[in-house]
PDB file of all heavy atoms in Angstrom:
ATOM      1  N   LEU N   4       5.967 -14.332 -16.837  1.00 41.00           N
ATOM      2  CA  LEU N   4       6.835 -13.184 -17.080  1.00 41.00           C
ATOM      3  C   LEU N   4       8.162 -13.313 -16.359  1.00 41.00           C
ATOM      4  O   LEU N   4       9.171 -12.832 -16.807  1.00 41.00           O
ATOM      5  CB  LEU N   4       6.133 -11.912 -16.619  1.00 41.00           C
ATOM      6  CG  LEU N   4       4.947 -11.547 -17.503  1.00 41.00           C
ATOM      7  CD1 LEU N   4       3.972 -10.653 -16.780  1.00 41.00           C
ATOM      8  CD2 LEU N   4       5.440 -10.871 -18.785  1.00 41.00           C
ATOM      9  N   ARG N  21      -8.656  -7.279  -1.853  1.00 98.00           N
ATOM     10  CA  ARG N  21      -8.213  -5.974  -2.359  1.00 98.00           C
ATOM     11  C   ARG N  21      -6.983  -5.489  -1.590  1.00 98.00           C
ATOM     12  O   ARG N  21      -5.972  -5.078  -2.182  1.00 98.00           O
ATOM     13  CB  ARG N  21      -9.351  -4.965  -2.187  1.00 98.00           C
ATOM     14  CG  ARG N  21      -9.072  -3.549  -2.671  1.00 98.00           C
ATOM     15  CD  ARG N  21     -10.307  -2.680  -2.371  1.00 98.00           C
ATOM     16  NE  ARG N  21     -10.144  -1.284  -2.704  1.00 98.00           N
ATOM     17  CZ  ARG N  21     -10.663  -0.699  -3.799  1.00 98.00           C
ATOM     18  NH1 ARG N  21     -11.343  -1.402  -4.664  1.00 98.00           N
ATOM     19  NH2 ARG N  21     -10.487   0.592  -4.022  1.00 98.00           N
ATOM     20  N   GLN N  25      -2.871  -5.108  -2.568  1.00 98.00           N
ATOM     21  CA  GLN N  25      -2.105  -3.885  -2.311  1.00 98.00           C
ATOM     22  C   GLN N  25      -0.769  -4.229  -1.631  1.00 98.00           C
ATOM     23  O   GLN N  25       0.270  -3.699  -1.994  1.00 98.00           O
ATOM     24  CB  GLN N  25      -2.958  -2.991  -1.406  1.00 98.00           C
ATOM     25  CG  GLN N  25      -2.536  -1.557  -1.360  1.00 98.00           C
ATOM     26  CD  GLN N  25      -3.452  -0.730  -0.464  1.00 98.00           C
ATOM     27  OE1 GLN N  25      -4.187  -1.260   0.359  1.00 98.00           O
ATOM     28  NE2 GLN N  25      -3.419   0.580  -0.640  1.00 98.00           N
ATOM     29  N   ILE N  28       1.804  -5.998  -4.055  1.00 98.00           N
ATOM     30  CA  ILE N  28       2.512  -5.187  -5.051  1.00 98.00           C
ATOM     31  C   ILE N  28       3.962  -4.980  -4.615  1.00 98.00           C
ATOM     32  O   ILE N  28       4.887  -5.086  -5.431  1.00 98.00           O
ATOM     33  CB  ILE N  28       1.789  -3.835  -5.247  1.00 98.00           C
ATOM     34  CG1 ILE N  28       0.451  -4.080  -5.956  1.00 98.00           C
ATOM     35  CG2 ILE N  28       2.659  -2.867  -6.044  1.00 98.00           C
ATOM     36  CD1 ILE N  28      -0.444  -2.838  -6.028  1.00 98.00           C
ATOM     37  N   ALA N  29       4.178  -4.699  -3.322  1.00 97.00           N
ATOM     38  CA  ALA N  29       5.545  -4.460  -2.849  1.00 97.00           C
ATOM     39  C   ALA N  29       6.367  -5.750  -2.871  1.00 97.00           C
ATOM     40  O   ALA N  29       7.551  -5.723  -3.196  1.00 97.00           O
ATOM     41  CB  ALA N  29       5.511  -3.870  -1.445  1.00 97.00           C
ATOM     42  N   LEU N  30       5.745  -6.873  -2.558  1.00 96.00           N
ATOM     43  CA  LEU N  30       6.494  -8.141  -2.541  1.00 96.00           C
ATOM     44  C   LEU N  30       6.922  -8.573  -3.932  1.00 96.00           C
ATOM     45  O   LEU N  30       7.879  -9.319  -4.088  1.00 96.00           O
ATOM     46  CB  LEU N  30       5.656  -9.249  -1.906  1.00 96.00           C
ATOM     47  CG  LEU N  30       5.513  -9.226  -0.389  1.00 96.00           C
ATOM     48  CD1 LEU N  30       4.629 -10.380   0.071  1.00 96.00           C
ATOM     49  CD2 LEU N  30       6.878  -9.307   0.292  1.00 96.00           C
ATOM     50  N   GLU N 293       0.483  -8.289   4.332  1.00 98.00           N
ATOM     51  CA  GLU N 293       1.805  -8.720   3.893  1.00 98.00           C
ATOM     52  C   GLU N 293       2.209 -10.003   4.603  1.00 98.00           C
ATOM     53  O   GLU N 293       2.746 -10.931   3.978  1.00 98.00           O
ATOM     54  CB  GLU N 293       2.843  -7.618   4.137  1.00 98.00           C
ATOM     55  CG  GLU N 293       4.231  -8.090   3.726  1.00 98.00           C
ATOM     56  CD  GLU N 293       5.289  -6.998   3.690  1.00 98.00           C
ATOM     57  OE1 GLU N 293       4.926  -5.816   3.623  1.00 98.00           O
ATOM     58  OE2 GLU N 293       6.481  -7.362   3.714  1.00 98.00           O
ATOM     59  N   SER N 306       8.138  -8.210  10.928  1.00 98.00           N
ATOM     60  CA  SER N 306       7.914  -7.801  12.306  1.00 98.00           C
ATOM     61  C   SER N 306       6.483  -7.289  12.512  1.00 98.00           C
ATOM     62  O   SER N 306       6.010  -6.418  11.774  1.00 98.00           O
ATOM     63  CB  SER N 306       8.888  -6.665  12.659  1.00 98.00           C
ATOM     64  OG  SER N 306       8.489  -6.061  13.872  1.00 98.00           O
ATOM     65  N   TYR N 331     -15.094  13.225   0.882  1.00 95.00           N
ATOM     66  CA  TYR N 331     -13.662  13.184   1.198  1.00 95.00           C
ATOM     67  C   TYR N 331     -13.121  14.571   1.542  1.00 95.00           C
ATOM     68  O   TYR N 331     -12.299  14.722   2.438  1.00 95.00           O
ATOM     69  CB  TYR N 331     -12.874  12.658  -0.006  1.00 95.00           C
ATOM     70  CG  TYR N 331     -12.762  11.173  -0.130  1.00 95.00           C
ATOM     71  CD1 TYR N 331     -13.633  10.314   0.519  1.00 95.00           C
ATOM     72  CD2 TYR N 331     -11.763  10.611  -0.920  1.00 95.00           C
ATOM     73  CE1 TYR N 331     -13.517   8.946   0.378  1.00 95.00           C
ATOM     74  CE2 TYR N 331     -11.637   9.243  -1.061  1.00 95.00           C
ATOM     75  CZ  TYR N 331     -12.511   8.408  -0.416  1.00 95.00           C
ATOM     76  OH  TYR N 331     -12.382   7.053  -0.563  1.00 95.00           O
ATOM     77  N   PRO N 339      -5.775  16.118   8.313  1.00 98.00           N
ATOM     78  CA  PRO N 339      -4.787  15.699   7.297  1.00 98.00           C
ATOM     79  C   PRO N 339      -3.977  14.471   7.713  1.00 98.00           C
ATOM     80  O   PRO N 339      -3.345  13.841   6.865  1.00 98.00           O
ATOM     81  CB  PRO N 339      -3.863  16.917   7.171  1.00 98.00           C
ATOM     82  CG  PRO N 339      -4.591  18.064   7.813  1.00 98.00           C
ATOM     83  CD  PRO N 339      -5.491  17.461   8.840  1.00 98.00           C
ATOM     84  N   LYS N 342      -6.055   8.517   7.696  1.00 98.00           N
ATOM     85  CA  LYS N 342      -5.890   7.704   6.499  1.00 98.00           C
ATOM     86  C   LYS N 342      -7.228   7.052   6.141  1.00 98.00           C
ATOM     87  O   LYS N 342      -7.807   6.337   6.957  1.00 98.00           O
ATOM     88  CB  LYS N 342      -4.845   6.617   6.783  1.00 98.00           C
ATOM     89  CG  LYS N 342      -4.561   5.709   5.628  1.00 98.00           C
ATOM     90  CD  LYS N 342      -3.576   6.303   4.674  1.00 98.00           C
ATOM     91  CE  LYS N 342      -3.294   5.320   3.553  1.00 98.00           C
ATOM     92  NZ  LYS N 342      -2.338   5.872   2.608  1.00 98.00           N
ATOM     93  N   PHE N 345     -10.975   3.121   1.200  1.00 97.00           N
ATOM     94  CA  PHE N 345     -12.306   2.895   0.622  1.00 97.00           C
ATOM     95  C   PHE N 345     -12.218   1.636  -0.241  1.00 97.00           C
ATOM     96  O   PHE N 345     -11.240   1.421  -0.945  1.00 97.00           O
ATOM     97  CB  PHE N 345     -12.706   4.119  -0.210  1.00 97.00           C
ATOM     98  CG  PHE N 345     -14.126   4.085  -0.686  1.00 97.00           C
ATOM     99  CD1 PHE N 345     -15.169   4.044   0.219  1.00 97.00           C
ATOM    100  CD2 PHE N 345     -14.420   4.088  -2.041  1.00 97.00           C
ATOM    101  CE1 PHE N 345     -16.494   4.005  -0.213  1.00 97.00           C
ATOM    102  CE2 PHE N 345     -15.730   4.055  -2.490  1.00 97.00           C
ATOM    103  CZ  PHE N 345     -16.762   4.016  -1.579  1.00 97.00           C
ATOM    104  N   GLN N 349     -20.255  -0.686  -3.766  1.00 90.00           N
ATOM    105  CA  GLN N 349     -21.497   0.081  -3.833  1.00 90.00           C
ATOM    106  C   GLN N 349     -21.980   0.343  -2.414  1.00 90.00           C
ATOM    107  O   GLN N 349     -21.969  -0.557  -1.565  1.00 90.00           O
ATOM    108  CB  GLN N 349     -22.565  -0.702  -4.613  1.00 90.00           C
ATOM    109  CG  GLN N 349     -22.292  -0.767  -6.118  1.00 90.00           C
ATOM    110  CD  GLN N 349     -22.402   0.590  -6.794  1.00 90.00           C
ATOM    111  OE1 GLN N 349     -23.177   1.437  -6.370  1.00 90.00           O
ATOM    112  NE2 GLN N 349     -21.617   0.795  -7.842  1.00 90.00           N
TER     113      GLN N 349
ATOM    114  N   LEU L   4     -18.719   2.256 -13.033  1.00 41.00           N
ATOM    115  CA  LEU L   4     -19.204   1.472 -11.899  1.00 41.00           C
ATOM    116  C   LEU L   4     -19.752   2.352 -10.782  1.00 41.00           C
ATOM    117  O   LEU L   4     -20.647   1.966 -10.073  1.00 41.00           O
ATOM    118  CB  LEU L   4     -18.081   0.592 -11.359  1.00 41.00           C
ATOM    119  CG  LEU L   4     -17.696  -0.528 -12.320  1.00 41.00           C
ATOM    120  CD1 LEU L   4     -16.301  -1.036 -12.053  1.00 41.00           C
ATOM    121  CD2 LEU L   4     -18.702  -1.657 -12.216  1.00 41.00           C
ATOM    122  N   ARG L  21       3.229   2.199 -10.742  1.00 98.00           N
ATOM    123  CA  ARG L  21       2.932   1.018  -9.916  1.00 98.00           C
ATOM    124  C   ARG L  21       2.643   1.432  -8.470  1.00 98.00           C
ATOM    125  O   ARG L  21       1.651   1.006  -7.875  1.00 98.00           O
ATOM    126  CB  ARG L  21       4.139   0.068  -9.951  1.00 98.00           C
ATOM    127  CG  ARG L  21       3.990  -1.233  -9.170  1.00 98.00           C
ATOM    128  CD  ARG L  21       5.303  -2.036  -9.280  1.00 98.00           C
ATOM    129  NE  ARG L  21       5.327  -3.242  -8.509  1.00 98.00           N
ATOM    130  CZ  ARG L  21       5.160  -4.486  -9.002  1.00 98.00           C
ATOM    131  NH1 ARG L  21       4.913  -4.651 -10.277  1.00 98.00           N
ATOM    132  NH2 ARG L  21       5.259  -5.536  -8.223  1.00 98.00           N
ATOM    133  N   GLN L  25      -0.882   1.601  -6.126  1.00 98.00           N
ATOM    134  CA  GLN L  25      -0.956   1.023  -4.780  1.00 98.00           C
ATOM    135  C   GLN L  25      -1.586   2.025  -3.804  1.00 98.00           C
ATOM    136  O   GLN L  25      -2.449   1.665  -3.005  1.00 98.00           O
ATOM    137  CB  GLN L  25       0.470   0.672  -4.338  1.00 98.00           C
ATOM    138  CG  GLN L  25       0.562  -0.289  -3.201  1.00 98.00           C
ATOM    139  CD  GLN L  25       2.009  -0.601  -2.846  1.00 98.00           C
ATOM    140  OE1 GLN L  25       2.940   0.105  -3.243  1.00 98.00           O
ATOM    141  NE2 GLN L  25       2.217  -1.670  -2.113  1.00 98.00           N
ATOM    142  N   ILE L  28      -5.458   2.580  -4.417  1.00 98.00           N
ATOM    143  CA  ILE L  28      -6.400   1.554  -3.972  1.00 98.00           C
ATOM    144  C   ILE L  28      -7.126   2.027  -2.711  1.00 98.00           C
ATOM    145  O   ILE L  28      -8.338   1.863  -2.580  1.00 98.00           O
ATOM    146  CB  ILE L  28      -5.654   0.217  -3.718  1.00 98.00           C
ATOM    147  CG1 ILE L  28      -5.191  -0.371  -5.051  1.00 98.00           C
ATOM    148  CG2 ILE L  28      -6.540  -0.776  -2.969  1.00 98.00           C
ATOM    149  CD1 ILE L  28      -4.265  -1.573  -4.931  1.00 98.00           C
ATOM    150  N   ALA L  29      -6.400   2.641  -1.775  1.00 97.00           N
ATOM    151  CA  ALA L  29      -7.031   3.094  -0.545  1.00 97.00           C
ATOM    152  C   ALA L  29      -7.979   4.266  -0.799  1.00 97.00           C
ATOM    153  O   ALA L  29      -9.040   4.354  -0.189  1.00 97.00           O
ATOM    154  CB  ALA L  29      -5.968   3.493   0.478  1.00 97.00           C
ATOM    155  N   LEU L  30      -7.598   5.158  -1.720  1.00 96.00           N
ATOM    156  CA  LEU L  30      -8.461   6.318  -1.990  1.00 96.00           C
ATOM    157  C   LEU L  30      -9.765   5.907  -2.661  1.00 96.00           C
ATOM    158  O   LEU L  30     -10.766   6.622  -2.563  1.00 96.00           O
ATOM    159  CB  LEU L  30      -7.732   7.324  -2.882  1.00 96.00           C
ATOM    160  CG  LEU L  30      -6.665   8.180  -2.212  1.00 96.00           C
ATOM    161  CD1 LEU L  30      -6.021   9.100  -3.229  1.00 96.00           C
ATOM    162  CD2 LEU L  30      -7.250   8.996  -1.066  1.00 96.00           C
ATOM    163  N   GLU L 293       0.262   9.006  -2.543  1.00 98.00           N
ATOM    164  CA  GLU L 293      -1.093   9.405  -2.175  1.00 98.00           C
ATOM    165  C   GLU L 293      -1.272  10.911  -2.330  1.00 98.00           C
ATOM    166  O   GLU L 293      -2.299  11.355  -2.856  1.00 98.00           O
ATOM    167  CB  GLU L 293      -1.409   8.981  -0.725  1.00 98.00           C
ATOM    168  CG  GLU L 293      -2.810   9.458  -0.331  1.00 98.00           C
ATOM    169  CD  GLU L 293      -3.333   8.875   0.969  1.00 98.00           C
ATOM    170  OE1 GLU L 293      -2.826   7.842   1.428  1.00 98.00           O
ATOM    171  OE2 GLU L 293      -4.279   9.478   1.513  1.00 98.00           O
ATOM    172  N   SER L 306      -1.129  14.857   5.595  1.00 98.00           N
ATOM    173  CA  SER L 306       0.015  15.311   6.374  1.00 98.00           C
ATOM    174  C   SER L 306       1.317  14.693   5.867  1.00 98.00           C
ATOM    175  O   SER L 306       1.415  13.472   5.723  1.00 98.00           O
ATOM    176  CB  SER L 306      -0.178  14.919   7.837  1.00 98.00           C
ATOM    177  OG  SER L 306       1.040  15.095   8.542  1.00 98.00           O
ATOM    178  N   TYR L 331      14.946 -13.365  -1.191  1.00 95.00           N
ATOM    179  CA  TYR L 331      14.088 -12.773  -0.160  1.00 95.00           C
ATOM    180  C   TYR L 331      14.263 -13.472   1.179  1.00 95.00           C
ATOM    181  O   TYR L 331      14.270 -12.837   2.244  1.00 95.00           O
ATOM    182  CB  TYR L 331      12.609 -12.905  -0.560  1.00 95.00           C
ATOM    183  CG  TYR L 331      12.064 -11.816  -1.433  1.00 95.00           C
ATOM    184  CD1 TYR L 331      12.897 -10.993  -2.181  1.00 95.00           C
ATOM    185  CD2 TYR L 331      10.689 -11.614  -1.526  1.00 95.00           C
ATOM    186  CE1 TYR L 331      12.365 -10.004  -2.997  1.00 95.00           C
ATOM    187  CE2 TYR L 331      10.152 -10.638  -2.328  1.00 95.00           C
ATOM    188  CZ  TYR L 331      10.982  -9.831  -3.070  1.00 95.00           C
ATOM    189  OH  TYR L 331      10.444  -8.864  -3.865  1.00 95.00           O
ATOM    190  N   PRO L 339      13.584  -8.715  10.085  1.00 98.00           N
ATOM    191  CA  PRO L 339      12.122  -8.750   9.959  1.00 98.00           C
ATOM    192  C   PRO L 339      11.479  -7.367   9.943  1.00 98.00           C
ATOM    193  O   PRO L 339      10.323  -7.242   9.546  1.00 98.00           O
ATOM    194  CB  PRO L 339      11.675  -9.507  11.226  1.00 98.00           C
ATOM    195  CG  PRO L 339      12.893 -10.186  11.755  1.00 98.00           C
ATOM    196  CD  PRO L 339      14.067  -9.353  11.328  1.00 98.00           C
ATOM    197  N   LYS L 342      11.460  -3.392   5.041  1.00 98.00           N
ATOM    198  CA  LYS L 342      10.364  -3.447   4.073  1.00 98.00           C
ATOM    199  C   LYS L 342      10.951  -3.516   2.661  1.00 98.00           C
ATOM    200  O   LYS L 342      11.703  -2.625   2.259  1.00 98.00           O
ATOM    201  CB  LYS L 342       9.522  -2.193   4.229  1.00 98.00           C
ATOM    202  CG  LYS L 342       8.356  -2.111   3.293  1.00 98.00           C
ATOM    203  CD  LYS L 342       7.170  -2.871   3.823  1.00 98.00           C
ATOM    204  CE  LYS L 342       5.997  -2.731   2.862  1.00 98.00           C
ATOM    205  NZ  LYS L 342       4.838  -3.458   3.353  1.00 98.00           N
ATOM    206  N   PHE L 345       9.537  -4.470  -4.481  1.00 97.00           N
ATOM    207  CA  PHE L 345      10.086  -4.980  -5.739  1.00 97.00           C
ATOM    208  C   PHE L 345       9.157  -4.521  -6.864  1.00 97.00           C
ATOM    209  O   PHE L 345       7.935  -4.536  -6.713  1.00 97.00           O
ATOM    210  CB  PHE L 345      10.165  -6.511  -5.655  1.00 97.00           C
ATOM    211  CG  PHE L 345      10.890  -7.126  -6.819  1.00 97.00           C
ATOM    212  CD1 PHE L 345      12.220  -6.822  -7.068  1.00 97.00           C
ATOM    213  CD2 PHE L 345      10.249  -8.027  -7.663  1.00 97.00           C
ATOM    214  CE1 PHE L 345      12.883  -7.389  -8.144  1.00 97.00           C
ATOM    215  CE2 PHE L 345      10.908  -8.598  -8.745  1.00 97.00           C
ATOM    216  CZ  PHE L 345      12.233  -8.282  -8.973  1.00 97.00           C
ATOM    217  N   GLN L 349      12.207  -6.939 -15.088  1.00 90.00           N
ATOM    218  CA  GLN L 349      13.263  -7.865 -15.446  1.00 90.00           C
ATOM    219  C   GLN L 349      14.575  -7.335 -14.903  1.00 90.00           C
ATOM    220  O   GLN L 349      14.859  -6.149 -15.013  1.00 90.00           O
ATOM    221  CB  GLN L 349      13.349  -8.016 -16.971  1.00 90.00           C
ATOM    222  CG  GLN L 349      12.196  -8.791 -17.588  1.00 90.00           C
ATOM    223  CD  GLN L 349      12.176 -10.255 -17.175  1.00 90.00           C
ATOM    224  OE1 GLN L 349      13.223 -10.848 -16.966  1.00 90.00           O
ATOM    225  NE2 GLN L 349      10.988 -10.820 -17.038  1.00 90.00           N
TER     226      GLN L 349
END
Side-chain angles (χ1 to χ4, degrees):
Chain N
L4 290 158
R21 181 182 176 102
Q25 198 179 18
I28 291 172
L30 284 179
E293 178 169 340
S306 167
Y331 274 20
K342 181 83 178 180
F345 188 61
Q349 288 293 329
Chain L
L4 291 158
R21 181 182 176 102
Q25 198 179 16
I28 290 171
L30 284 179
E293 178 169 341
S306 168
Y331 274 20
K342 180 84 178 180
F345 188 61
Q349 288 293 327

